[in-house]
Amino acid sequence: MAIRPIIETPDPLLRQISSPVAEVTEEIRMLVDDMLETMYAAPGIGLAAIQVGVPKRVLVIDLQEPEEEGGEPVRDPLVFINPEILRASDVLQVYNEGCLSVPEMYAEVERPDSIRARWLDRDGKAHEKDLDGLLAICLQHEMDHLEGVLFIDHLSRLKRDMILKKLAKWRKERSKLAA
Ligand SMILES: [Zn+2]
């Protein structure tokens, strides 16, 4: 396993549409394992393959929710290959989203509260499930990446420009610290 570099906006690769995985091979499993390691190291709760520069429909998610409130985070890696949303609720929920490709920036995004999704896991086994809460939000955010969409695209132009300005400022400060 290896940690891969995460690409950040405005890298044009992030705008590419990812292609379906024809077969879950050993190469795909290696990609999945690297993505999990990269996500945990970042740290983040979700990562799409395109964020490490691979335009394939592969996602990893781990909400690392503690078993009890206020407890230690527990690892529960989920792998979504060729995910599809079959149904989405009319009811929406708002969540303050962030993204490893738009570092340090957060904004409220509205998405369907619950979805029915279908996907393959790391072993190529098919799953179909109703998902809600943070997992539904996170899966929709990661699936956007497969279409070249970032969470900031859901915001008004004004809010998006504000975030991109803040990001430029944050990067400048980061490079000053590194110098
Ligand atoms: Zn993201």
Side-chain angles (χ1 to χ4, degrees):
M1 290 212 284
I3 294 173
R4 302 197 189 190
I6 295 174
I7 59 174
E8 295 179 1
T9 189
D11 192 315
L13 256 181
L14 287 169
R15 296 308 185 177
Q16 202 171 315
I17 293 178
S18 296
S19 17
V21 171
E23 195 192 339
V24 183
T25 57
E26 200 48 45
E27 191 196 334
I28 293 292
R29 275 190 278 273
M30 268 172 58
L31 169 68
V32 162
D33 293 345
D34 283 358
M35 284 171 63
L36 281 167
E37 197 176 342
T38 304
M39 178 184 74
Y40 288 129
I45 60 169
L47 190 72
I50 193 64
Q51 292 179 277
V52 293
V54 180
K56 290 201 168 117
R57 300 183 92 80
V58 177
L59 313 171
V60 295
I61 292 177
D62 191 340
L63 304 178
Q64 300 179 66
E65 281 170 328
E67 260 169 34
E68 53 198 84
E69 221 179 309
E72 286 287 301
V74 177
R75 280 195 182 179
D76 177 24
L78 298 172
V79 176
F80 298 85
I81 298 170
N82 299 342
E84 284 172 84
I85 291 176
L86 306 173
R87 261 204 316 271
S89 65
D90 295 329
V91 180
L92 305 175
Q93 66 165 318
V94 174
Y95 191 79
N96 197 33
E97 295 189 20
C99 179
L100 294 173
S101 296
V102 190
E104 300 292 317
M105 303 298 135
Y106 299 89
E108 288 191 338
V109 177
E110 205 174 34
R111 298 184 190 271
D113 175 66
S114 60
I115 53 173
R116 183 163 187 86
R118 180 161 65 193
W119 69 93
L120 302 177
D121 65 17
R122 191 179 174 282
D123 300 315
K125 198 173 150 236
H127 296 263
E128 190 179 316
K129 259 186 203 163
D130 291 314
L131 306 173
D132 60 12
L134 182 54
L135 182 54
I137 294 295
C138 194
L139 183 61
Q140 292 175 81
H141 172 116
E142 299 310 328
M143 283 183 69
D144 271 355
H145 279 298
L146 305 180
E147 310 303 331
V149 172
L150 299 173
F151 80 95
I152 51 174
D153 300 337
H154 292 280
L155 309 175
S156 66
R157 173 176 285 267
L158 185 73
K159 274 192 190 160
R160 184 166 56 242
D161 288 349
M162 244 167 60
I163 284 197
L164 292 174
K165 238 185 237 162
K166 259 167 75 183
L167 179 61
K169 200 174 152 209
W170 177 79
R171 279 184 175 137
K172 235 189 225 163
E173 271 157 27
R174 181 177 61 175
S175 64
K176 252 191 255 161
L177 285 178

